[in-house]
Amino acid sequence: MEGGECADQAVLEVGRHAAPDGFTFASGAAHLVKARAADSECPRARVLKALDQLAVNGEEISVSAVARAAGVHRSLIHRHDDLHAADLARAAEPPPGAAAGTQVSRQSLLADVANLTARNSRLSAHITRLERRLSESLGQAAWEASGLGAPADVETLTRQVTELEQQVLDLRVELDERDEDLTAARAANRELMAQVNR
C-alpha cells in the first residue's frame, strides 16, 4: 500500500464513522486515534519492505538508504526503536552469498573509521602544539636578531648593575662625609678669621 492510499483509507475510515447518531467527542477521538494508527502503520510497513528489498539486493543498509528506499524521512526510523533496531540488525548481517570469514563486517569498518577519526584529532592537536612552539621559537630568534631583545648573558649584566649601584651608594656616602668635613672646616676657618681680626 502506498502512502497516499494509506492516508485515504484512514480518512475513509474516519469519514464512515463520522458524526453518527449519538456522536460524542470521545467516540470521535477514538476514531481519530484509529485513523492515526492506521496511517502510521503504512510507513512502517514500507520501511520493513525496503529493509527486506535492500538485503535481498545486497545493497548497503543504513538509516539513510532505508529511508530513501521507503520514501520516508530518516527521523521516522530513529523515532521508532523497533525500526531502528531492525535496521541495525540487518546492517550487521553479511550480504547474501558472501563466503564466511572473507567479508569485512560493517562494525569493523565503523570501528576503523572511529579509530582513524580519533587518531586524526590527536595528530591535529599535536600539529597545533608544534606550530605554536615553532612560532614562539622563531619569534624569539627574530627578537634577539633585531637587537631589541635582551642579550643572552642577562645574569652577568644584572650582577654588574648591582655592583655599580652599590659603588654609587658608597661614593655618595663618602661625598656626604666630605661635605660635612668641608662645612666644619669652613666654620672653624671663619671663627679663626674672626679672632684674628679682633
Side-chain angles (χ1 to χ4, degrees):
M1 226 186 277
E2 293 300 313
E5 293 175 9
C6 289
D8 291 343
Q9 182 180 359
V11 169
L12 286 175
E13 284 291 320
V14 171
R16 205 175 347 176
H17 300 299
D21 291 336
F23 173 77
T24 65
F25 284 111
S27 64
H31 290 299
L32 288 175
V33 168
K34 277 187 190 177
R36 178 71 179 137
D39 188 41
S40 70
E41 286 304 315
C42 286
R44 292 170 59 81
R46 285 198 319 246
V47 167
L48 294 173
K49 184 178 176 183
L51 260 173
D52 292 337
Q53 190 63 38
L54 290 173
V56 168
N57 294 341
E59 297 179 32
E60 176 196 7
I61 297 178
S62 67
V63 173
S64 296
V66 172
R68 193 171 30 257
V72 297
H73 195 270
R74 294 184 314 267
S75 63
L76 175 82
I77 297 172
H78 286 293
R79 277 195 319 263
H80 294 85
D81 292 335
D82 59 331
L83 294 178
H84 194 247
D87 180 87
L88 293 176
R90 283 294 180 93
E93 294 176 2
T102 60
Q103 194 68 18
V104 176
S105 71
R106 184 167 193 264
Q107 285 81 10
S108 69
L109 292 176
L110 290 175
D112 287 346
V113 168
N115 288 335
L116 291 173
T117 302
R119 183 172 188 262
N120 191 16
S121 298
R122 286 191 307 272
L123 288 174
S124 179
H126 185 63
I127 287 171
T128 302
R129 285 192 303 272
L130 289 176
E131 285 175 343
R132 188 178 310 120
R133 285 176 52 193
L134 177 63
S135 175
E136 290 171 0
S137 180
L138 289 175
Q140 183 64 32
W143 178 257
E144 289 172 3
S146 70
L148 298 173
D153 197 8
V154 175
E155 186 177 331
T156 303
L157 290 176
T158 305
R159 192 171 356 98
Q160 287 177 353
V161 166
T162 306
E163 289 172 2
L164 290 173
E165 286 175 347
Q166 186 59 44
Q167 285 179 4
V168 167
L169 289 175
D170 292 343
L171 290 173
R172 283 188 180 156
V173 168
E174 190 177 330
L175 182 62
D176 289 342
E177 288 175 357
R178 288 188 182 179
D179 282 343
E180 289 174 4
D181 290 344
L182 182 61
T183 305
R186 284 182 180 160
N189 190 20
R190 277 193 296 269
E191 285 179 20
L192 285 174
M193 290 301 287
Q195 286 177 6
V196 169
N197 289 336
R198 286 189 192 165

